[in-house]
């Protein structure tokens, strides 16, 4: 295995205390599966309740950052009186290998699963060398 991606957990933000002003919730670290083949790395991140508008994927140097906020929708024309379901804020970051081509990252969000495909740079891909008979 090549280990082209390393995970880093985010720091926690102060949780909302009962009776105090509303503060940001701590971030939830979404579960991620990482797959690799000769051409690319593929990450599958579980982000239930997240829509495309609430998702931010960016590369800062050699760091890939995923940030999102889930939304729960109640019935129309009704006001929430009591609720236990929270709308989590997701955050996860990865340190990327230099052998990955971060300029060609592809992202697809479907049914609460984010699929990121990061191709390997051409020079990092295995290649077959033909041997000549002398």
């Amino acid at each position: 295995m090549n280990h082209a991606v390393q995970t880093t957990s985010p720091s926690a933000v102060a949780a909302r205390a009962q009776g105090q002003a509303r503060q940001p919730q701590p971030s939830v670290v979404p579960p991620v599966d990482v797959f690799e083949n000769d051409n690319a790395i593929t990450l599958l991140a579980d982000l239930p309740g997240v829509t495309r508008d609430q998702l931010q994927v960016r590369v800062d140097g050699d760091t890939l950052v995923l940030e999102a906020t889930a939304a729960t929708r109640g019935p129309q024309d009704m006001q929430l009186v009591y609720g236990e379901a929270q709308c989590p804020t997701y955050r996860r970051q990865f340190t990327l290998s230099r052998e990955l081509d971060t300029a060609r990252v592809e992202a697809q969000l479907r049914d609460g699963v984010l699929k990121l495909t990061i191709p390997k740079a051409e020079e990092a891909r295995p290649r077959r060398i033909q041997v000549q008979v002398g």
Side-chain angles (χ1 to χ4, degrees):
M1 179 173 238
N2 205 347
H3 302 297
V5 177
Q6 295 177 349
T7 182
T8 308
S9 60
S11 61
V13 179
R16 181 177 69 175
Q18 191 171 2
Q20 293 182 352
R22 186 176 181 138
Q23 295 178 356
Q25 293 178 329
S27 295
V28 175
V29 178
V32 173
D33 294 329
V34 180
F35 300 91
E36 179 179 13
N37 64 22
D38 290 342
N39 299 318
I41 296 288
T42 299
L43 286 86
L44 299 177
D46 289 335
L47 300 169
V50 172
T51 63
R52 190 176 71 159
D53 326 352
Q54 300 163 314
L55 174 63
Q56 185 181 67
V57 179
R58 68 179 188 277
V59 176
D60 293 331
D62 64 350
T63 303
L64 171 70
V65 180
L66 309 176
E67 294 178 319
T69 303
T72 55
R73 293 187 180 97
Q76 287 184 339
D77 301 328
M78 297 189 88
Q79 180 179 1
L80 179 66
V81 177
Y82 175 79
E84 292 182 343
Q86 296 181 9
C87 299
T89 299
Y90 297 102
R91 188 170 197 292
R92 184 98 185 240
Q93 65 184 42
F94 301 88
T95 301
L96 302 176
S97 167
R98 295 189 193 283
E99 70 183 29
L100 298 174
D101 187 354
T102 58
R104 298 185 333 169
V105 176
E106 294 179 10
Q108 179 183 29
L109 181 64
R110 184 176 185 182
D111 298 329
V113 178
L114 173 65
K115 178 182 179 182
L116 288 175
T117 304
I118 309 170
K120 291 183 180 177
E122 198 62 42
E123 56 273 4
R125 294 183 186 178
R127 59 187 173 96
R128 186 176 188 158
I129 299 172
Q130 188 168 352
V131 178
Q132 303 291 326
V133 178

